[in-house]
Amino acid sequence: QAYNCLIHFYKRSDRLCNQWCDYLFNSFRNTRILTTPTNRELLLCVLGSCLTGLRAPCAVNLVTSMMVLGQDVWKNWEKTGKTEFVKVLKSLLEEGGPNVAENPHHRDIYRHIYDLIWQAVRDKIKREQVVQCLGELIAFNSEVANLVTDIIAIVDTETVLAEDKKDERSRLTATVREIERFLGDGLLKERLEIDTLGECGILKHPKKFFTTVIKLKTKLFYKQQKFNLFREECEGYAKLITELNQDLSSVTPTYIIEVIKSVIGYFNLDPNRVLDIILESFECQPNQHKFFISLLGEYLPDTRTMCELLSFKYSFYLSSNNEDKEVTPKSLYEVTALLIQHDIMKLEDVYPLLRPDDSEITKMADKEMRDAKDFVRKLNVVSTQGKNDDEEKEKEDRDKHENNQKFGLLEALVKVGAWNHAEKILCQLPTYYATAQPGISMQLCKLIHIILDPVYQVNSGLCPRIKVKSHQPLDNEHAPPQAETYEDLKLHVFPMLLALGPHAQADPILLYKVLRICKTALGIKDTAKYDSEVAGVVVPPDSPLYFMTLTLMDEVFLPSLSLLNSNCCLAEEIWSVLRHFPYEQRYRLYDQWKGDTTTAHPILLRSKAAVLKSIKKLMQRVSKENVKPTGRQLGKLSHSSPGLLFTYILSQIQVYDNLIGPVVDSLKYLTNLSFDVLGFCIIESLNDPSRARTKTDGTSISMWLNALASFCGAVYKKHSIELTGLLQYVANQLKAKHSLDLLIIKEVVAKMGGIEGIEEMTPEQIDATAGGELLRQEAASFTQIKNTRKSSQRLKDCLIEKGLAVPLVLLMAQQGNSVVYQETESDHLKLVGKLFDQCHDTLVQFGTFLASNLSQDDYTRKLPPLEQLLSEFHVNADIAFFLARPMFNHLINTKFDDLRKNDKLWKQRTGAEKQAKHAEAAQLVMEPVTAAVIPIYPPKVWEDISPQFCTTFWSLTMYDLYVPEKLYEKEIKKLKEAPAKLSDNKDLNTARRKKEADRLNTLMERLQDEEKRHKEHVERVMARLRQEKDAWFLSRTARSGNSRSAKNETITQFLQFCLFPRCIFTSSDAIYAAKFVSVIHMLKTPNFSTLICYDRIFCDITYTVTCCTENEAGRYGRFLAAMLETVMKWHAEREVFERECSGYPGFITKFRVTDKATGNDTDTVDFENYRHVCHKWHYKIAKALVVCLESKDFVQIRNSLIVLTKIIHHFPAIQNLATVIEKRIEKVCEDEKDKRQDLYIKARSYQGQLGARKAKMMKESDFHVVKGKKGEEAEAASSPAKKEREKGVEGVEEGEIRSSGKEKRRESERRDRERSSASKERNRDSESKERNSRDKDVRTSRERDSHSRDRNGQGEMGPPATSRSTPTRRSLDPDAGDRDPKRRRGEDKEREKEKEKSPVLDRLEKNEKLRKEKREKEKIKKEKEEKESKREKKRDRDDSVADSSVKKRREETERSESSPTRQNGSEEKRKSSSDRKR
C-alpha cells in the first residue's frame, strides 16, 4: 500500500510525494512499527522499490530517516543485531561519501558507535565482538578510525569522572588495548590523555613522554623570534627598498621574493615590517600593480596579517598621533582596492577597518536632507547672517567628507575598475549619498567613458569626418570589459549611470554620448529642426533600449539637467530623443522630474530653492516695456528647471491675468524641451483638484480658470507647443461630463484659428458673413487677431493626425444635453445658462474652424454623414445640419460639374436650363438627406410640411439667399482709393509701394469676381427654390376642409421644428431665419400665410424669451429685429406694401375686412388694416416684455433687457409704448441697484439707448389711423380679435388674424370667467351695501371716480388716447369706425350691454386696481370699527340722560351726512398719489 501511494503521489507532484513520505514516517514511528525487525526490513524493501522505480528524493529521505536502531539490536546481537548494525552504518557511510565529517548523517553515525562502545564498557556485549564490528567498519571506511578515536576520548573522560565504576574503566582500557591494532598508536597518542595511554599499556614511560611533549610545545609556541627593526638595521632595509623600487620590468616577482628572503635572513629583518615596505613601494608604483600583486600573493602567509597591517595604517590617520592632521593618502586606497580586486584580501575583511561607521554616514545623509528642506522652507525668511556664513558652512560640509575612508576606498575601487565590489559598498550606504561626492562621481564617469567607448565609436551618429576622442581600456584583467553591443551596455554601463543619478552632471560630455547612443539604438535620425509641436515618428516599444532610455531619462538625464547652469544644448539633445516618445510617457517623466525626483535629492532641493528665488525676483519686474531682457533671463532659468519655473509663473497668471501678454512675449527664448514642459504644466494646473472651478456664489466660472484658458490660447498661438496633450485632456474631461474645460478649446480656437464668436458682431459684420470668403476676410473680421495662418495650420494638423477632430465635435454636440440634465442638477440657473452657452458657442466656433481650414474633400471624408450623426451619435438636428452643411454645397457643386461634363451640348444651354441642371444636382444630393430626416420627427409633422422643405430650410445659409451688394461696393471702393493713399506713406519705398498697389488691385479684381460668382450662385438657388416651393405646404391643406386650421397647424410645425431652433443657433442663423420667411413670402409660396406666421411670432413672446439662455436671447433679439425690419419696411410706405404684399398669397385671408366707402372687397389685407395689425404686434411685444420685466425673475429680466437692446432700432416705435417700457426699466433700476448689478448695468444701458431714440418715435396717430373712444383703446389693443356672436357674423377687427376653433373656445371661456368674477364682485358689493347703507355712498362715489378715470385717463399698457374734449367713448375697433350704419347699429346695442360691465383692462392695470381696492376696503373697515367703538363708549356714558339720546342721534345723523364728502376727498388724494407713484 505504501508503495502504491508513493507511486500515485509522485506521478502527481513532488510536493505531494514529500508530504506523503513525511506522513508515513510519522505514522510508523508513532505506532512503533519499526521496533520489529521483520516489519522494518519489509518497509525498507518497499521503500527500496520506490527508490528503484521512482528515484524520488522523498523516498531517499524516508529510508534514511527510518534507519533507527532499536533495543532489540543489542539484545539479539549475536543473532541478527550485529548484521543489522553493520548494515545500517554502512548505508549511512555510503550515502555521505568518504568524508564522515561532511556526512549529513554524521550525528547518527556518532551516536551508534558511541552506543556500541558503551555496550562493551558495560559488558552487555562481548568485547571481542565489539572490536570485531568496529574493525569491519574501519576496514569499510578509514575515516571511521578518527571517529572511533574521538568517541573513545569522550568515553575516557566519562569513565574517569565516574570513580565508583572502576570496572567500566578497566573494561574500557582493555577495549582500547585490543582496538589499537585497527587505529594505530600514532592516532591514539595524539588524542588520548597520557595517563590513559599509560593505563592501556600503549606508553611504557608516561612521565618521560609527558616531559618531552612539554618541551616541544614550549619551543613551538612560547619561544619568541628576535628580528631587527628599521632603525636597528638600516642597511638591510635600504637594500630591500632598492630592490623593490628598481626597474621592475627587467625582473620577475619570483626573483624578487628570493631576494627578499635572502635579505630577511641575512639582516634578520622583521617580516611584518618588510610587508609594510612592500606595500609602501606598491603605493609609489600603482601602475606596477601586476608585479606587486603577484609578489604579495607569494609573500603573504595569510590575509590576517595584511588586515592587521592595514588596520594600523588606516587607524593612524584618524588617531591623535596624527599631529600634522594628514589625510589618508589616495595611494593607500588604491593599493587596498587592487588587493581586494585581485582577491588578495576580501572586502568583508577590510570594510570593518574603515571609518566612519555606516550608521554615522546614514545620520549625515539624513541631516543633509533636513538641512536642504529647511533651506527651502526658509526661502522667504529674511536672513540676518553675515555674507560669508553660508560659504563657511559649505566649506565645513565639504571638509567633513575629506577623511571619509569608506568614500576613499569606494573612489579607488571605481578607479581601478572593481565595479562589483564598489557596487556592494554603494548598496550599503544611503542612496546617491556616496556618488554625490565629486571624486567618486568623476571616477565613475571616467569608467563609463572607457566601457562604452567601442559602442559610441560605432553608434555616435556623427559625421565620419568629425574626430572622436577614444578611451583606452584599463590595464586590468579584473575590470569590466568594454561594451561591444547594446546588451553589454545594459549589463555594465546602465547600472553605473543609475548609480550616478543626477550627479552625472559632473560630466556633460558623458550625457551627450549616452543620448547619441540611445538615438541610434531607437532608430532616430538626426535632423536640424526639433519643433516642440511635432512629436516626430513615435518609436515602437520593441526598439532596443526603449524602456532603458525612459529609465535613464527619469533617473539621470533630466535630474542632471537641473544641476547644470543654463545648458540649453543638452536640453535640445534630450528633446531630440524625447520628442519621439508619446506625450503620455513624456508627461510622466516631467511629473517625476518636478516631484519625486526633486524631493529625493538634497542637492536638487537646494537647486529648486535657488530657481524659485530667482523667478520670484524676475516676475516682479515683468512688464510690457522690458520683455526682451526679462525674456532672456527667463530663458536661462528655464533651461535647467522648467517644471518648477512654469508652475510658479502659472500660479501668478491665475491671480494676475494682466501678466499674460508680457509672459507670452517673454517665452520666445525657451528651448523646445521647456515648451513641452510648459504644455504639461498647463494641463497640471488646469486639473488641480484643490481649486474650485466656479466662484463662491456658484453663478460664474472662476477667474483663475478664465485666466489659464486665455493664457493657453495666447501661448499656443505664439509658440510652437504640441497640442495633443491639451486636446486629449479636454476630450477626457468632456467624456467625464466636465464642460467647464470647453473654455480652453474656445480660447485656443479663437487665438490659433482666428475664429471668434460672433455674438458681439455689428449688423454690418453679420451682413458680411453672407458674402464670399474674401468679403468675410475684409469686412467681417472684427477682432485684432492676425497672422493665424501658421497657428491654424498647426491646430488643424494636430486634430487630423491624432484623430481628435471628429471626437471633439461629437463630444461637444452631445455635451449640451449633459450640461442641462446631468452636470448641473444642483447649480444656479445662471451658471447652467453660461455653461450651455459656452458649450454651444464652442461647438459653433470649432465647427466653423474645421469647415474653413479643412479642404472640402477632407471635411467630407472625416466627418460622419448626416444620417449617421442623427441615428448613431444621437446629435440634435440643428447641430447635425450645422456640421453637415459645408458638405452639401461641395457635393452639389461636384454633382453639378459631373452633369455639366457629361452634357456635350452644355455651351448651347440657356441660363434657365443650366439652373434646372443645378436644381437636379441638388435634388440628387439631398434625396438621402431627406430620407434621413423623416425618422427623426413625428409623423404628424409631415402632414403639414414636406421633408423636402425641412431639408431645404436646414441646408441653406445666407450665402445661398442673399448677396450683400452694398458691402461689396463699399470694399471695392475702399480698395480703389487705397493706392492713392500709398503715396502719402513715406515709410514705403518705390518698390514696396508698387508691390502693395499691385496687391490691392489683385484683391479688388478677386472681390469683383467673387461678387459675380456669388450672384450666379444665388440665382441658381432661387431658381431651385421656385421649382420646389409648390411641394412645400401641400398635403394636409389639400385634404383639410378647414383651410384656416390647416394654415395654423402648418405655421405651428414650421415655427416649432424649423424657425425657432435655427433662429437661436447663431446670430447669422437668426438673420437667415428672418430672411427665409421673407423669401417664402416673396416666392408666393402656396398655402403659406405670411400674416399668420408674423402674428404667431409677435403675439406672445413671453415664454420664448423666458426659456432662452443669455446668448440665445441675443440671437432671438436679432431675429425679432430682422423680422421687425421687414414689417416696418412694409408699414412705412404704401408703395412698398403694394409692391411686395398686395396680391401675395401670404396676405390673403378669409376674414374679410371691407371698406365699402373705398370699394375694396377682396381677401387681401389692405395697407391701413396692415398698419393696424402692426400696431397690435407692437403692443403685444410691449406687453410680453413688461410682464418679463415685472416678474422679479433674474432670467426673465435679463433676457427681456437683451431682447429690447437688440430691437432698439425698430421697437418701441410708438411714444406711449416707449413711456410704459421706460417706467418699467426705471423700476428695474431702482430694485436691482444694490442687489444684482449685472441687471442694473443692462437696464441703465438700455435706458440710455431708449432716451437717445425718443426723438425718432412717432405718435400713435402717425403710426396708424386712430378712431374710437379713449376708454376703448386699451380694450382694442389688448384684445383686438372680437366676434359678433349674437348676429353670427364672421368678422374681425382691423389688425386681427382670425383665430382657430380652439382659440375661439379659449377666448369664450376667458370671457365667461371674467363675467363670473364680475358677477361675484357685484354680489359682494350688494351684500356689503345691505350691511351698511352708509358705505354704499362711499363705494358708489369711488366707483364713479374710477370709471371716470378709466374713461378720461390713459392706460399704461394701452395705446395713448387722443386729446378730445367730447365725453363720448370711441374705440380703435374697425367695426366701431366702420361707415356701415347697419353694422354699427348692432354694435351699439352690444356696447350698451357692455357699459354695465367693468371694461376689460390690461392685466397689469387690473391687478394694480384690485390691490388698490383691497387696501381701500381694509382702511374703510378699520375706520368703521373705530367709529363703532367710539359710539359704544359714548352711548354708555350718556345712557342715563334721556334727552342726550336725542341729541346723540342728531349728531350721528349730521356726521353720517358729512362723512361721504370727506371720504371722497381723502380718496381722491390717495388715488392721485398712487397714480403718481405708478
Side-chain angles (χ1 to χ4, degrees), residues 1271-1272 1275 1314 1346-1347 1350-1351 1369 1394-1402 1406 1409:
E1272 299 213 9
E1275 182 182 356
E1314 289 179 356
S1346 175
H1347 284 293
D1350 290 341
R1351 286 192 301 271
R1369 185 174 59 180
E1394 292 294 325
K1395 285 180 182 179
E1396 301 295 331
K1397 305 173 186 177
S1398 60
V1400 180
L1401 303 175
D1402 175 61
K1406 185 176 180 181
K1409 182 178 178 182

Side-chain angles (χ1 to χ4, degrees), residues 336-374:
T336 308
L338 288 168
L339 293 175
I340 294 172
Q341 184 184 29
H342 290 83
D343 295 329
I344 302 297
M345 301 180 67
K346 292 184 178 180
L347 178 63
E348 292 77 9
D349 296 334
V350 176
Y351 192 75
L353 308 176
L354 308 178
R355 292 292 177 271
D357 293 335
D358 289 350
S359 59
E360 294 182 16
I361 296 177
T362 304
K363 289 179 182 178
M364 287 189 286
D366 295 339
K367 184 178 181 301
E368 188 171 347
M369 178 61 76
R370 287 195 302 270
D371 292 344
K373 291 180 179 179
D374 290 341

Side-chain angles (χ1 to χ4, degrees), residues 583-591 676 679-680 683 722 725:
Y583 78 92
E584 299 92 343
Q585 300 282 9
R586 301 201 308 271
Y587 287 179
R588 183 190 63 82
L589 291 174
Y590 301 152
D591 183 59
D676 200 49
F680 162 74
I683 296 174
E722 186 181 353

Side-chain angles (χ1 to χ4, degrees), residues 858-869:
D858 287 342
Y859 190 88
T860 307
R861 184 172 59 255
K862 294 289 182 183
L863 204 73
L866 180 69
E867 51 269 21
Q868 189 176 1
L869 288 173

Side-chain angles (χ1 to χ4, degrees), residues 432 435 497-506 511 555-564 597 601 603-604:
Y432 297 117
T435 51
L497 285 169
L498 294 176
L500 271 173
H503 307 290
Q505 56 91 19
L511 297 176
E555 298 287 342
V556 181
F557 295 126
L558 296 177
S560 298
L561 184 62
S562 296
L563 298 177
L564 291 170
T597 304
H601 302 278
I603 189 171
L604 288 179

Side-chain angles (χ1 to χ4, degrees), residues 146-267:
N146 292 325
L147 188 63
V148 171
T149 306
D150 293 338
I151 294 173
I152 289 174
I154 293 171
V155 176
D156 176 31
T157 305
E158 292 176 349
T159 53
V160 168
L161 295 175
E163 296 179 355
D164 55 339
K165 297 180 180 180
K166 295 184 179 180
D167 295 340
E168 292 181 355
R169 179 71 180 172
S170 61
R171 283 193 288 271
L172 175 63
T173 55
T175 304
V176 172
R177 202 167 29 249
E178 291 185 10
I179 206 174
E180 182 187 2
R181 65 179 184 273
F182 297 107
L183 299 177
D185 60 348
L187 192 59
L188 292 174
K189 289 177 182 179
E190 178 185 344
R191 301 188 184 182
L192 294 183
E193 294 293 332
I194 296 175
D195 294 339
T196 304
L197 292 174
E199 291 179 11
C200 296
I202 297 174
L203 291 178
K204 294 182 179 179
H205 304 286
K207 292 183 179 181
K208 186 178 179 180
F209 182 76
F210 177 74
T211 304
T212 305
V213 169
I214 292 299
K215 290 180 180 180
L216 181 60
K217 286 183 177 181
T218 301
K219 184 178 180 181
L220 288 175
F221 300 113
Y222 299 102
K223 188 175 181 180
Q224 184 176 4
Q225 180 72 27
K226 183 180 179 181
F227 295 104
N228 289 324
L229 298 179
F230 187 75
R231 62 181 177 272
E232 297 170 350
E233 189 58 62
C234 57
E235 183 184 354
Y237 287 109
K239 176 64 176 174
L240 178 63
I241 292 171
T242 303
E243 292 293 334
L244 290 174
N245 289 278
Q246 63 176 319
D247 185 9
L248 299 177
S249 60
S250 58
V251 295
T252 61
T254 306
Y255 169 75
I256 295 297
I257 201 69
E258 293 299 328
V259 171
I260 291 172
K261 289 179 181 179
S262 302
V263 171
I264 291 173
Y266 184 81
F267 294 101

Side-chain angles (χ1 to χ4, degrees), residues 564-625:
L564 291 170
N565 187 17
S566 302
N567 195 329
C568 60
C569 300
L570 181 60
E572 285 298 310
E573 195 71 25
I574 291 174
W575 173 245
S576 68
V577 177
L578 273 183
R579 65 193 289 265
H580 295 277
F581 287 89
Y583 78 92
E584 299 92 343
Q585 300 282 9
R586 301 201 308 271
Y587 287 179
R588 183 190 63 82
L589 291 174
Y590 301 152
D591 183 59
Q592 287 288 110
W593 186 13
K594 264 184 59 181
D596 296 343
T597 304
T598 301
T599 56
H601 302 278
I603 189 171
L604 288 179
L605 283 174
R606 292 180 178 273
S607 172
K608 172 184 176 181
V611 169
L612 289 177
K613 187 175 181 181
S614 302
I615 188 57
K616 285 179 181 179
K617 289 182 180 180
L618 183 61
M619 287 301 291
Q620 293 173 357
R621 301 193 301 271
V622 170
S623 65
K624 293 181 179 179
E625 290 74 21

Side-chain angles (χ1 to χ4, degrees), residues 291-311:
F291 179 87
F292 282 100
I293 290 297
S294 178
L295 180 65
L296 289 171
E298 296 182 18
Y299 180 80
L300 274 180
D302 54 11
T303 58
R304 182 176 180 181
T305 305
M306 180 65 80
C307 286
E308 292 175 353
L309 180 58
L310 289 177
S311 175

